[in-house]
Amino acid sequence: MTKTLENPSKNVEVFFTINDSYAKYLSVTLVSILKNARPDEHYNFYVLTSDISEENKNKLNSIKTNTSYEIEFINIQKDLFDVVAESSQKHISKETNYRFLISSIKPNMDKCIFLDADLVVEHSLWDLMNQDIENYSLAAVNDIPYTIKGWLDETILPKKYTYKNTGVILVNLKKWRSDNIENKLFENSEKYADDFLYPDQDALNVTLASDIKTLKDEWNVFPCFSLYKEQTFDKPKVIHWAGYIKPWNRIFCHSSHHYWLYAFLSPHFKDLVKDIVCNIKLYRVFRILKLIYS
């Protein structure tokens, strides 16, 4: 059940954007955060969505933990994002662009963390929340080298710029408001709709290219892309299955055991098991069809 501290000394503000089908994956991320929190920390989770069911809300609020936390579900008008192009990756829905609105949704908040829901956190997020980004709009980890921005013309994003992965970001909301970042994100999303392959991530990189602080790799480690990049870290603080290979569709994918340790404690565990069983069956069907028609 949700537990709150009367006077928490460390408040951590964390945003997510999901649709209803991603609620079960979000529950694993939340479990990992709460399991690795410190006793004096309180977590405020903000879930930006358009269609989450009451059943899933109740499950997310039922995580068993000794860590203090609260969840606020914030309904977003989907048609606000009609100007944003579809992602080139089928597993990414338009809901991920809801992050553009975070500075106006909480007008009195100065700083926050935004996380994707296909990751687990292995360390206290206070250490990320507490980093100094006063002179930056955003902090993020460099993306993998094969992301060479070849789809973006140099007039859109400078060739020398190192592209960032935005699955884990620390946001200076105060600066976003003073610099009118939300409007700029929407303007660039519409202007470059035919150029962007990863609309939300491309928009953040293009809009804030000269205004992003680089985080250490340990805050966003990509296990499934280890062939492309040997990231520098002693121990991953966030493990992020970026791309289409996920622990719930490839049970033996790189570092998936980290995911299932937390999934076992999730109120959505049975749903996650059904996912993996279904994907294993489909994989076998595809293998058989391939043998038949090869």
Side-chain angles (χ1 to χ4, degrees):
M1 295 294 291
T2 302
K3 169 191 171 187
T4 58
L5 294 174
E6 287 187 12
N7 296 298
S9 58
K10 297 174 182 175
N11 280 296
V12 186
E13 316 289 351
V14 189
F15 281 80
F16 301 92
T17 61
I18 63 164
N19 56 27
D20 196 52
S21 65
Y22 245 70
K24 52 193 168 186
Y25 311 131
L26 173 60
S27 73
V28 180
T29 302
L30 295 184
V31 168
S32 71
I33 293 170
L34 296 169
K35 289 293 288 183
N36 290 290
R38 299 185 184 112
D40 59 345
E41 295 170 357
H42 172 79
Y43 284 80
N44 292 308
F45 298 124
Y46 307 97
V47 181
L48 311 185
T49 184
S50 297
D51 65 344
I52 191 167
S53 68
E54 289 301 317
E55 179 184 1
N56 276 325
K57 287 181 182 179
N58 291 335
K59 282 187 176 182
L60 290 171
N61 270 311
S62 70
I63 295 171
K64 294 178 180 179
T65 178
N66 290 323
T67 302
S68 173
Y69 81 100
E70 291 181 282
I71 303 178
E72 181 179 350
F73 298 96
I74 301 171
N75 190 60
I76 305 295
Q77 288 180 251
K78 206 166 189 175
D79 57 8
L80 291 174
F81 295 85
D82 287 345
V83 299
V84 179
E86 297 285 349
S87 173
S88 64
Q89 296 184 294
K90 291 182 180 179
H91 68 278
I92 298 177
S93 66
K94 276 199 174 182
E95 279 83 358
T96 190
N97 299 286
Y98 291 176
R99 70 181 83 187
F100 292 176
L101 300 173
I102 54 180
S103 65
S104 59
I105 286 173
K106 293 294 176 181
N108 298 317
M109 189 182 293
D110 289 341
K111 188 164 63 170
C112 74
I113 294 168
F114 172 88
L115 298 178
D116 283 350
D118 56 354
L119 55 79
V120 294
V121 175
E122 301 267 67
H123 188 85
S124 165
L125 283 179
W126 173 254
D127 291 348
L128 176 58
M129 184 79 183
N130 198 38
Q131 293 203 29
D132 180 15
I133 57 167
E134 185 177 355
N135 298 317
Y136 298 90
S137 288
L138 194 73
V141 169
N142 291 336
D143 211 339
I144 50 180
Y146 96 100
T147 310
I148 56 174
K149 312 180 296 296
W151 64 95
L152 295 174
D153 188 88
E154 192 173 354
T155 59
I156 301 174
L157 197 60
K159 187 175 288 187
K160 291 183 179 180
Y161 171 73
T162 304
Y163 191 80
K164 301 295 188 292
N165 183 284
T166 57
V168 178
I169 56 176
L170 180 63
V171 185
N172 183 341
L173 297 172
K174 192 174 181 180
K175 197 169 189 300
W176 273 40
R177 286 187 283 269
S178 65
D179 293 351
N180 200 23
I181 298 302
E182 284 191 12
N183 283 346
K184 291 176 182 177
L185 288 168
F186 278 101
E187 287 170 5
N188 283 329
S189 294
E190 185 171 10
K191 182 178 179 180
Y192 301 117
D194 294 333
D195 299 285
F196 286 175
L197 290 184
Y198 313 100
D200 61 309
Q201 185 164 272
D202 286 347
L204 286 163
N205 275 275
V206 169
T207 305
L208 302 172
S210 61
D211 200 20
I212 300 179
K213 179 179 181 178
T214 302
L215 291 173
K216 290 182 179 179
D217 286 349
E218 62 191 1
W219 283 110
N220 193 359
V221 175
F222 318 117
C224 294
F225 295 107
S226 57
L227 290 176
Y228 295 103
K229 180 179 184 181
E230 180 126 6
Q231 289 182 304
T232 305
F233 57 89
D234 295 324
K235 184 179 179 182
K237 291 179 178 174
V238 177
I239 303 174
H240 180 197
W241 289 271
Y244 65 90
I245 296 175
K246 312 290 188 187
W248 59 83
N249 61 31
R250 299 285 193 279
I251 193 167
F252 296 118
C253 72
H254 200 302
S255 301
S256 62
H257 60 287
H258 289 269
Y259 185 86
W260 287 99
L261 285 172
Y262 298 113
F264 180 72
L265 302 173
S266 159
H268 284 90
F269 178 64
K270 290 181 180 179
D271 299 316
L272 293 162
V273 170
K274 287 178 185 176
D275 272 4
I276 200 68
V277 169
C278 179
N279 278 297
I280 290 171
K281 287 180 179 178
L282 285 172
Y283 178 72
R284 287 177 176 171
V285 170
F286 288 137
R287 285 288 301 273
I288 292 168
L289 290 173
K290 187 177 180 181
L291 288 171
I292 292 171
Y293 290 103
S294 61

